[in-house]
Amino acid sequence: MMLSVALFISGVQFFSMGLLGEIIARTYYESQNKPIYALREVKSHRKEAGRFDGIERGLPAIPNGSEPFTK
């Protein structure tokens, strides 16, 4: 019985430390204005049937590799 209580309390402590670590990491990245992850390359699986710039949907322009992305 004592072992089960000790293991339960240890599990709660590990869970709490994980939550605390997640909060600290998110606060750090938000304060540094850094993205959570970085992309090396953006691959599109759409067929190139002409340049789609998304204006009809109100989306920002999608560069096709030859044009720089400007905002």
Side-chain angles (χ1 to χ4, degrees):
M1 180 70 179
M2 292 296 287
L3 181 62
S4 63
V5 171
L7 289 174
F8 178 76
I9 291 174
S10 296
V12 170
Q13 284 180 333
F14 279 124
F15 183 76
S16 300
M17 292 300 286
L19 285 177
L20 184 62
E22 185 71 25
I23 291 170
I24 290 172
R26 287 180 186 228
T27 304
Y28 171 74
Y29 282 119
E30 186 175 337
S31 69
Q32 298 293 317
N33 278 339
K34 293 181 179 180
I36 296 174
Y37 54 88
L39 299 177
R40 283 189 205 145
E41 183 179 353
V42 176
K43 295 183 179 180
S44 177
H45 296 289
R46 287 185 272 201
K47 292 183 179 179
E48 292 294 328
R51 184 172 179 270
F52 171 75
D53 57 4
I55 292 174
E56 62 271 1
R57 293 187 191 176
L59 300 173
I62 300 173
N64 62 3
S66 62
E67 302 172 4
F69 182 77
T70 57
K71 195 168 188 180

Coordinates of all heavy atoms in Angstrom, one line a residue:
M1 N 0.8 -1.2 0.0 CA 0.0 0.0 0.0 C 0.9 1.3 0.0 O 0.6 2.2 -0.7 CB -0.9 0.0 1.2 CG -1.8 1.1 1.4 SD -3.1 1.1 0.1 CE -4.0 2.5 0.5
M2 N 1.9 1.3 0.8 CA 2.8 2.4 0.9 C 3.5 2.7 -0.5 O 3.7 3.8 -0.9 CB 3.8 2.2 2.0 CG 3.2 2.2 3.4 SD 2.5 3.8 3.8 CE 4.0 4.8 4.0
L3 N 3.9 1.6 -1.2 CA 4.5 1.7 -2.4 C 3.6 2.3 -3.5 O 4.0 3.2 -4.2 CB 5.0 0.3 -2.9 CG 5.7 0.3 -4.3 CD1 7.0 1.1 -4.2 CD2 6.0 -1.1 -4.7
S4 N 2.4 2.0 -3.5 CA 1.4 2.5 -4.4 C 1.2 4.0 -4.2 O 1.1 4.8 -5.1 CB 0.1 1.8 -4.4 OG -0.5 1.9 -3.2
V5 N 1.2 4.4 -2.9 CA 1.0 5.8 -2.6 C 2.2 6.6 -3.0 O 2.1 7.7 -3.6 CB 0.7 6.0 -1.1 CG1 0.8 7.5 -0.7 CG2 -0.6 5.4 -0.7
A6 N 3.4 6.0 -2.7 CA 4.7 6.7 -3.1 C 4.8 6.9 -4.6 O 5.2 7.9 -5.2 CB 5.9 5.9 -2.6
L7 N 4.4 5.8 -5.4 CA 4.4 5.9 -6.8 C 3.4 6.9 -7.4 O 3.7 7.6 -8.3 CB 4.2 4.5 -7.4 CG 5.3 3.5 -7.3 CD1 4.9 2.1 -7.8 CD2 6.6 4.0 -7.9
F8 N 2.3 6.9 -6.8 CA 1.3 7.9 -7.2 C 1.7 9.3 -7.0 O 1.6 10.2 -7.8 CB -0.1 7.7 -6.4 CG -1.1 8.7 -6.8 CD1 -1.8 8.6 -8.0 CD2 -1.4 9.8 -5.9 CE1 -2.8 9.5 -8.3 CE2 -2.4 10.7 -6.3 CZ -3.0 10.6 -7.5
I9 N 2.3 9.6 -5.8 CA 2.8 10.9 -5.5 C 4.0 11.3 -6.5 O 4.1 12.4 -7.0 CB 3.3 11.0 -4.0 CG1 2.0 11.0 -3.1 CG2 4.1 12.3 -3.8 CD1 2.3 10.9 -1.7
S10 N 4.8 10.3 -6.7 CA 5.9 10.6 -7.7 C 5.4 10.9 -9.1 O 5.9 11.8 -9.8 CB 6.8 9.3 -7.8 OG 7.5 9.1 -6.6
G11 N 4.3 10.2 -9.5 CA 3.7 10.5 -10.8 C 3.1 11.9 -10.8 O 3.3 12.5 -11.9
V12 N 2.5 12.3 -9.8 CA 1.9 13.7 -9.7 C 3.1 14.7 -9.8 O 2.9 15.7 -10.5 CB 1.1 13.8 -8.5 CG1 0.7 15.3 -8.3 CG2 -0.2 13.0 -8.5
Q13 N 4.2 14.4 -9.1 CA 5.3 15.3 -9.2 C 5.9 15.4 -10.6 O 6.2 16.5 -11.1 CB 6.4 14.9 -8.2 CG 6.1 15.2 -6.8 CD 7.2 14.7 -5.8 OE1 7.9 13.8 -6.1 NE2 7.3 15.4 -4.7
F14 N 6.1 14.3 -11.3 CA 6.6 14.3 -12.6 C 5.7 15.0 -13.6 O 6.1 15.8 -14.4 CB 6.8 12.9 -13.1 CG 8.1 12.2 -12.7 CD1 8.1 11.0 -12.0 CD2 9.3 12.8 -12.9 CE1 9.3 10.5 -11.6 CE2 10.5 12.3 -12.5 CZ 10.5 11.1 -11.8
F15 N 4.4 14.8 -13.4 CA 3.4 15.5 -14.2 C 3.5 17.0 -14.0 O 3.5 17.8 -14.9 CB 2.0 15.0 -13.9 CG 0.9 15.6 -14.8 CD1 0.8 15.2 -16.1 CD2 0.1 16.6 -14.3 CE1 -0.2 15.8 -16.9 CE2 -0.9 17.2 -15.1 CZ -1.1 16.8 -16.4
S16 N 3.6 17.4 -12.7 CA 3.6 18.9 -12.4 C 4.9 19.5 -12.9 O 4.9 20.6 -13.5 CB 3.6 19.0 -10.9 OG 2.4 18.5 -10.4
M17 N 6.0 18.8 -12.9 CA 7.3 19.3 -13.4 C 7.2 19.4 -14.9 O 7.8 20.4 -15.5 CB 8.4 18.4 -13.0 CG 8.7 18.4 -11.5 SD 9.2 20.1 -10.9 CE 10.8 20.2 -11.5
G18 N 6.5 18.5 -15.6 CA 6.4 18.6 -17.0 C 5.5 19.8 -17.4 O 5.9 20.6 -18.4
L19 N 4.5 20.1 -16.7 CA 3.6 21.3 -16.9 C 4.4 22.5 -16.7 O 4.4 23.5 -17.5 CB 2.4 21.3 -16.1 CG 1.3 20.3 -16.5 CD1 0.1 20.4 -15.5 CD2 0.8 20.6 -17.9
L20 N 5.2 22.6 -15.6 CA 6.0 23.7 -15.3 C 7.0 24.0 -16.4 O 7.3 25.1 -16.8 CB 6.6 23.6 -13.9 CG 7.4 24.8 -13.4 CD1 6.5 26.0 -13.2 CD2 8.1 24.4 -12.1
G21 N 7.7 22.9 -16.8 CA 8.7 23.1 -17.9 C 8.1 23.6 -19.2 O 8.7 24.4 -19.9
E22 N 6.9 23.1 -19.5 CA 6.2 23.6 -20.7 C 5.8 25.0 -20.6 O 6.0 25.8 -21.6 CB 4.9 22.7 -20.9 CG 4.2 23.0 -22.2 CD 4.9 22.5 -23.4 OE1 5.7 21.6 -23.3 OE2 4.6 23.1 -24.5
I23 N 5.4 25.5 -19.5 CA 5.0 26.9 -19.3 C 6.3 27.8 -19.4 O 6.3 28.8 -20.0 CB 4.3 27.1 -17.9 CG1 3.0 26.5 -18.0 CG2 4.3 28.6 -17.6 CD1 2.3 26.4 -16.6
I24 N 7.4 27.3 -18.8 CA 8.6 28.1 -18.8 C 9.2 28.2 -20.3 O 9.6 29.2 -20.7 CB 9.7 27.5 -17.9 CG1 9.3 27.7 -16.4 CG2 11.1 28.0 -18.2 CD1 10.1 27.0 -15.4
A25 N 9.1 27.0 -21.0 CA 9.6 27.0 -22.4 C 8.7 27.9 -23.3 O 9.3 28.7 -24.1 CB 9.6 25.6 -22.9
R26 N 7.4 27.9 -23.1 CA 6.6 28.8 -24.0 C 6.8 30.2 -23.6 O 6.8 31.1 -24.5 CB 5.1 28.4 -23.8 CG 4.8 27.1 -24.4 CD 3.3 26.8 -24.2 NE 3.0 25.4 -24.8 CZ 2.0 25.2 -25.6 NH1 1.2 26.1 -25.9 NH2 1.8 24.0 -26.0
T27 N 7.0 30.5 -22.3 CA 7.2 31.9 -21.9 C 8.6 32.4 -22.5 O 8.7 33.5 -23.0 CB 7.2 32.0 -20.4 OG1 6.0 31.5 -19.9 CG2 7.5 33.5 -19.9
Y28 N 9.6 31.5 -22.5 CA 10.9 31.9 -23.0 C 10.8 32.2 -24.5 O 11.3 33.3 -25.0 CB 11.9 30.8 -22.8 CG 13.2 31.0 -23.5 CD1 14.1 32.0 -23.0 CD2 13.5 30.3 -24.6 CE1 15.3 32.2 -23.7 CE2 14.7 30.5 -25.3 CZ 15.6 31.5 -24.8 OH 16.7 31.7 -25.5
Y29 N 10.2 31.3 -25.3 CA 10.1 31.5 -26.7 C 9.2 32.8 -27.1 O 9.5 33.5 -28.0 CB 9.5 30.3 -27.4 CG 10.6 29.2 -27.6 CD1 10.4 28.0 -27.0 CD2 11.7 29.4 -28.3 CE1 11.3 27.0 -27.2 CE2 12.7 28.5 -28.5 CZ 12.5 27.2 -27.9 OH 13.4 26.3 -28.1
E30 N 8.2 33.0 -26.3 CA 7.4 34.2 -26.6 C 8.1 35.5 -26.2 O 8.0 36.4 -27.0 CB 6.1 34.1 -25.7 CG 5.1 35.2 -26.0 CD 3.8 35.0 -25.3 OE1 3.5 33.9 -24.9 OE2 3.1 36.0 -25.1
S31 N 8.9 35.5 -25.2 CA 9.7 36.7 -24.8 C 10.8 37.0 -25.8 O 11.2 38.1 -25.9 CB 10.2 36.5 -23.4 OG 11.3 35.6 -23.4
Q32 N 11.3 35.9 -26.5 CA 12.4 36.1 -27.4 C 11.9 36.4 -28.8 O 12.7 36.6 -29.7 CB 13.3 34.9 -27.4 CG 14.0 34.6 -26.1 CD 15.0 35.6 -25.7 OE1 15.7 36.0 -26.6 NE2 15.0 36.0 -24.5
N33 N 10.6 36.3 -29.1 CA 10.0 36.4 -30.4 C 10.6 35.4 -31.4 O 10.9 35.7 -32.5 CB 10.2 37.9 -30.9 CG 9.1 38.8 -30.4 OD1 8.1 38.3 -30.0 ND2 9.4 40.1 -30.4
K34 N 10.9 34.3 -30.9 CA 11.5 33.2 -31.7 C 10.3 32.2 -32.1 O 9.4 32.0 -31.3 CB 12.5 32.4 -31.0 CG 13.8 33.2 -30.6 CD 14.7 32.3 -29.9 CE 16.0 33.0 -29.6 NZ 17.0 32.1 -28.9
P35 N 10.4 31.7 -33.3 CA 9.4 30.7 -33.6 C 9.6 29.4 -32.8 O 10.8 29.1 -32.4 CB 9.5 30.4 -35.1 CG 10.9 30.9 -35.4 CD 11.2 32.0 -34.4
I36 N 8.6 28.6 -32.6 CA 8.8 27.4 -31.9 C 9.6 26.4 -32.7 O 10.4 25.6 -32.2 CB 7.4 26.8 -31.5 CG1 6.7 27.7 -30.6 CG2 7.5 25.4 -30.9 CD1 5.3 27.3 -30.3
Y37 N 9.5 26.4 -34.0 CA 10.2 25.6 -34.9 C 10.6 26.3 -36.1 O 10.0 27.4 -36.5 CB 9.4 24.3 -35.2 CG 8.1 24.6 -35.8 CD1 7.9 24.8 -37.2 CD2 7.0 24.7 -35.0 CE1 6.7 25.0 -37.7 CE2 5.7 24.9 -35.5 CZ 5.6 25.1 -36.9 OH 4.3 25.4 -37.4
A38 N 11.6 25.9 -36.9 CA 12.0 26.5 -38.1 C 11.9 25.5 -39.3 O 12.1 24.3 -39.1 CB 13.4 27.0 -38.0
L39 N 11.5 26.0 -40.4 CA 11.3 25.2 -41.6 C 12.6 25.4 -42.5 O 13.0 26.5 -42.7 CB 10.1 25.6 -42.4 CG 8.7 25.5 -41.6 CD1 7.6 26.0 -42.5 CD2 8.5 24.1 -41.3
R40 N 13.1 24.3 -42.9 CA 14.2 24.3 -43.9 C 13.7 24.6 -45.3 O 14.3 25.3 -46.0 CB 15.0 23.0 -43.9 CG 15.9 22.8 -42.8 CD 16.7 21.6 -43.0 NE 17.1 21.1 -41.7 CZ 17.3 19.9 -41.4 NH1 17.1 18.9 -42.2 NH2 17.6 19.5 -40.2
E41 N 12.6 23.9 -45.6 CA 12.1 24.1 -47.0 C 10.6 23.9 -47.0 O 10.1 23.1 -46.2 CB 12.7 22.9 -47.8 CG 12.3 23.0 -49.3 CD 13.0 21.8 -50.1 OE1 13.9 21.2 -49.5 OE2 12.7 21.7 -51.2
V42 N 9.9 24.6 -47.8 CA 8.4 24.5 -47.9 C 8.1 23.7 -49.2 O 8.5 24.2 -50.3 CB 7.7 25.8 -47.9 CG1 6.2 25.7 -48.1 CG2 8.0 26.6 -46.6
K43 N 7.5 22.6 -49.1 CA 7.1 21.8 -50.3 C 5.6 21.9 -50.5 O 4.9 21.7 -49.6 CB 7.6 20.3 -50.1 CG 9.1 20.2 -50.0 CD 9.4 18.7 -49.9 CE 10.9 18.6 -49.7 NZ 11.4 17.2 -49.7
S44 N 5.3 22.1 -51.7 CA 3.9 22.2 -52.1 C 3.5 20.9 -52.9 O 4.2 20.6 -53.8 CB 3.6 23.4 -52.8 OG 2.2 23.5 -53.2
H45 N 2.4 20.3 -52.5 CA 1.9 19.1 -53.3 C 0.8 19.5 -54.3 O 0.2 18.6 -54.9 CB 1.4 18.1 -52.3 CG 2.4 17.6 -51.4 ND1 3.4 16.8 -51.8 CD2 2.6 17.8 -50.0 CE1 4.2 16.5 -50.8 NE2 3.7 17.1 -49.7
R46 N 0.6 20.8 -54.5 CA -0.3 21.3 -55.5 C 0.3 21.2 -56.8 O 1.4 21.4 -57.0 CB -0.8 22.7 -55.2 CG -1.7 22.8 -54.0 CD -2.1 24.2 -53.9 NE -1.1 24.9 -53.1 CZ -1.3 26.0 -52.5 NH1 -2.4 26.6 -52.6 NH2 -0.3 26.6 -51.8
K47 N -0.6 20.9 -57.8 CA -0.1 20.9 -59.2 C 0.0 22.4 -59.6 O -0.8 23.3 -59.3 CB -1.1 20.2 -60.1 CG -1.2 18.8 -59.9 CD -2.1 18.1 -60.8 CE -2.2 16.6 -60.6 NZ -3.1 15.9 -61.5
E48 N 1.1 22.6 -60.4 CA 1.4 24.0 -60.8 C 0.5 24.3 -62.0 O 0.9 24.1 -63.2 CB 2.8 24.2 -61.2 CG 3.8 24.1 -60.0 CD 3.6 25.3 -59.0 OE1 3.2 26.4 -59.5 OE2 3.8 25.1 -57.8
A49 N -0.7 24.7 -61.8 CA -1.7 25.1 -62.9 C -1.7 26.6 -63.0 O -2.8 27.2 -63.2 CB -3.0 24.5 -62.6
G50 N -0.6 27.3 -62.8 CA -0.6 28.7 -62.8 C -0.3 29.2 -61.4 O -0.4 28.4 -60.5
R51 N 0.0 30.4 -61.3 CA 0.4 31.0 -60.0 C -0.9 31.3 -59.2 O -1.8 32.0 -59.6 CB 1.2 32.3 -60.2 CG 1.7 32.8 -58.9 CD 2.6 34.0 -59.2 NE 3.0 34.5 -57.9 CZ 2.4 35.5 -57.3 NH1 1.3 36.0 -57.8 NH2 2.9 36.0 -56.2
F52 N -1.0 30.7 -58.0 CA -2.1 30.9 -57.1 C -1.6 31.9 -56.0 O -0.7 31.7 -55.3 CB -2.5 29.6 -56.4 CG -3.5 29.9 -55.3 CD1 -4.8 30.2 -55.6 CD2 -3.2 29.8 -54.0 CE1 -5.8 30.4 -54.6 CE2 -4.1 30.0 -53.0 CZ -5.4 30.3 -53.3
D53 N -2.3 33.1 -56.0 CA -1.9 34.0 -55.0 C -2.9 34.2 -53.9 O -2.7 35.0 -53.0 CB -1.5 35.4 -55.6 CG -2.7 36.0 -56.4 OD1 -3.8 35.3 -56.4 OD2 -2.5 37.0 -57.0
G54 N -4.0 33.5 -53.9 CA -4.9 33.4 -52.8 C -5.7 34.7 -52.6 O -6.3 34.9 -51.6
I55 N -5.7 35.6 -53.6 CA -6.4 36.8 -53.4 C -7.9 36.6 -53.2 O -8.6 37.2 -52.4 CB -6.1 37.8 -54.5 CG1 -4.7 38.2 -54.5 CG2 -7.1 39.0 -54.5 CD1 -4.2 39.1 -55.7
E56 N -8.5 35.6 -54.0 CA -9.9 35.4 -53.9 C -10.3 34.9 -52.5 O -11.5 35.0 -52.1 CB -10.4 34.5 -55.0 CG -9.8 33.1 -55.0 CD -8.5 33.0 -55.8 OE1 -8.1 34.0 -56.3 OE2 -7.9 31.9 -55.8
R57 N -9.4 34.3 -51.8 CA -9.7 33.8 -50.4 C -9.2 34.8 -49.3 O -9.4 34.5 -48.2 CB -9.0 32.4 -50.2 CG -9.6 31.3 -51.0 CD -9.0 30.1 -50.6 NE -9.3 29.0 -51.5 CZ -8.8 27.8 -51.4 NH1 -8.0 27.5 -50.4 NH2 -9.1 26.9 -52.3
G58 N -8.5 35.8 -49.7 CA -8.0 36.7 -48.7 C -6.8 36.3 -48.0 O -6.4 36.7 -47.0
L59 N -6.0 35.3 -48.7 CA -4.8 34.8 -48.1 C -3.6 35.6 -48.6 O -3.7 36.2 -49.7 CB -4.6 33.3 -48.5 CG -5.7 32.4 -48.1 CD1 -5.5 31.0 -48.7 CD2 -5.8 32.3 -46.6
P60 N -2.5 35.6 -47.9 CA -1.3 36.3 -48.4 C -0.7 35.5 -49.6 O -1.0 34.4 -49.8 CB -0.3 36.2 -47.2 CG -0.8 35.1 -46.4 CD -2.3 35.0 -46.6
A61 N 0.1 36.2 -50.4 CA 0.6 35.7 -51.6 C 1.6 34.5 -51.2 O 2.3 34.6 -50.2 CB 1.4 36.7 -52.4
I62 N 1.6 33.5 -52.0 CA 2.5 32.3 -51.8 C 3.6 32.4 -52.8 O 3.3 32.4 -54.0 CB 1.7 31.0 -51.9 CG1 0.6 31.0 -50.9 CG2 2.6 29.8 -51.8 CD1 -0.3 29.8 -51.0
P63 N 4.8 32.5 -52.4 CA 5.9 32.6 -53.4 C 6.1 31.3 -54.1 O 5.9 30.2 -53.5 CB 7.1 33.0 -52.6 CG 6.8 32.5 -51.2 CD 5.3 32.6 -51.1
N64 N 6.5 31.3 -55.4 CA 6.7 30.1 -56.1 C 8.2 29.7 -56.3 O 8.6 28.9 -57.1 CB 6.0 30.1 -57.5 CG 6.6 31.2 -58.3 OD1 7.5 31.9 -58.0 ND2 6.0 31.4 -59.5
G65 N 9.0 30.4 -55.5 CA 10.5 30.1 -55.6 C 11.2 31.1 -56.3 O 12.4 31.4 -56.0
S66 N 10.6 31.7 -57.4 CA 11.4 32.7 -58.2 C 11.1 34.1 -57.7 O 11.9 35.0 -58.1 CB 11.0 32.6 -59.6 OG 9.6 32.8 -59.8
E67 N 10.1 34.3 -56.9 CA 9.8 35.7 -56.5 C 10.0 35.7 -55.0 O 9.6 34.8 -54.2 CB 8.3 36.0 -56.7 CG 7.9 35.9 -58.2 CD 6.4 36.0 -58.4 OE1 5.7 36.3 -57.4 OE2 6.0 35.9 -59.5
P68 N 10.5 36.8 -54.5 CA 10.7 37.0 -53.0 C 9.4 37.2 -52.4 O 8.5 37.8 -53.0 CB 11.7 38.2 -52.9 CG 11.5 38.9 -54.1 CD 11.1 37.9 -55.2
F69 N 9.3 36.8 -51.1 CA 8.0 37.0 -50.4 C 8.2 38.4 -49.7 O 9.0 38.6 -48.9 CB 7.9 35.9 -49.3 CG 6.6 36.0 -48.6 CD1 5.4 35.7 -49.1 CD2 6.6 36.5 -47.3 CE1 4.2 35.8 -48.4 CE2 5.4 36.7 -46.5 CZ 4.3 36.3 -47.1
T70 N 7.3 39.3 -50.0 CA 7.3 40.6 -49.4 C 5.9 40.8 -48.8 O 4.9 40.4 -49.3 CB 7.6 41.7 -50.5 OG1 6.6 41.6 -51.5 CG2 9.0 41.6 -51.0
K71 N 5.9 41.5 -47.7 CA 4.7 41.8 -47.0 C 4.4 43.2 -47.0 O 5.2 44.1 -46.9 CB 4.8 41.2 -45.6 CG 3.4 41.1 -45.0 CD 3.5 40.3 -43.7 CE 2.1 40.0 -43.2 NZ 2.1 39.2 -42.0

